[in-house]
């Protein structure tokens, strides 16, 4: 039997990121760009008519965070695992959530104008 050669994964360059610092010194690191597939998925949520406007808006915000967030350092503790990032967002208090939403909106406007109008 012939041995299978393991394919070496092509090493990807880390994505370009932007850091946003909150008033308490926490740092949210977001990707500067998204793939065309991710952009289409986010647009799809916005266009879906089967859910309420509020549900679509909340799902879009969560998708944006999920696709853009690379890390979130809170009180000196960095969170980098995707599931933990999303869990921390869901546990955020109202001030943190408002800051994340403002930050995402500003980031989308500055770096992803194709999503800013939605």
């Amino acid at each position: 039997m012939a041995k299978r050669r393991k394919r070496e994964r092509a090493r990807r360059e880390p994505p370009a990121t932007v850091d946003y610092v909150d008033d308490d010194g926490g740092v949210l690191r977001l990707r500067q760009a998204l793939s065309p597939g991710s952009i289409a998925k986010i647009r799809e949520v916005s266009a879906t008519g089967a859910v309420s406007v509020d549900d679509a808006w909340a799902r879009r915000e969560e998708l944006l965070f999920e696709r853009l967030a690379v890390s979130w350092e809170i009180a000196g503790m960095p969170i980098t695992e995707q599931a933990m990032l999303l869990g921390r967002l869901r546990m955020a208090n109202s001030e943190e959530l408002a800051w994340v939403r403002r930050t995402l909106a500003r980031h989308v406007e500055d770096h992803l104008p194709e999503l800013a109008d939605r």
Side-chain angles (χ1 to χ4, degrees):
M1 246 188 211
K3 289 185 181 180
R4 291 186 189 189
R5 291 178 55 188
K6 285 187 179 180
R7 290 187 182 177
E8 288 185 33
R9 282 189 166 188
R11 293 197 182 255
R12 292 188 210 177
E13 290 294 317
T17 59
V18 178
D19 289 350
Y20 296 93
V21 182
D22 67 17
D23 293 337
D24 297 324
V27 180
L28 180 60
R29 179 168 290 153
L30 302 176
R31 285 178 178 81
Q32 276 188 341
L34 291 174
S35 70
S38 289
I39 290 170
K41 183 107 174 156
I42 292 165
R43 283 185 174 157
E44 186 178 300
V45 169
S46 301
T48 302
V51 296
S52 73
V53 172
D54 290 338
D55 289 341
W57 180 78
R59 180 64 185 133
R60 181 183 185 274
E61 292 291 315
E62 194 170 274
L63 255 179
L64 276 170
F65 183 84
E66 185 178 6
R67 301 296 170 116
L68 289 171
V70 174
S71 67
W72 191 4
E73 182 178 316
I74 303 168
M77 301 289 294
I79 303 169
T80 57
E81 184 182 322
Q82 198 64 39
M84 296 293 284
L85 283 165
L86 197 51
R88 181 60 180 88
L89 176 70
R90 290 174 179 163
M91 292 179 9
N93 63 36
S94 59
E95 286 179 21
E96 290 171 328
L97 196 52
W99 179 79
V100 168
R101 287 179 175 156
R102 285 191 311 271
T103 301
L104 285 173
R106 185 173 76 217
H107 183 78
V108 165
E109 190 175 301
D110 292 346
H111 300 283
L112 297 160
E114 63 270 29
L115 291 175
D117 61 332
R118 300 240 170 215

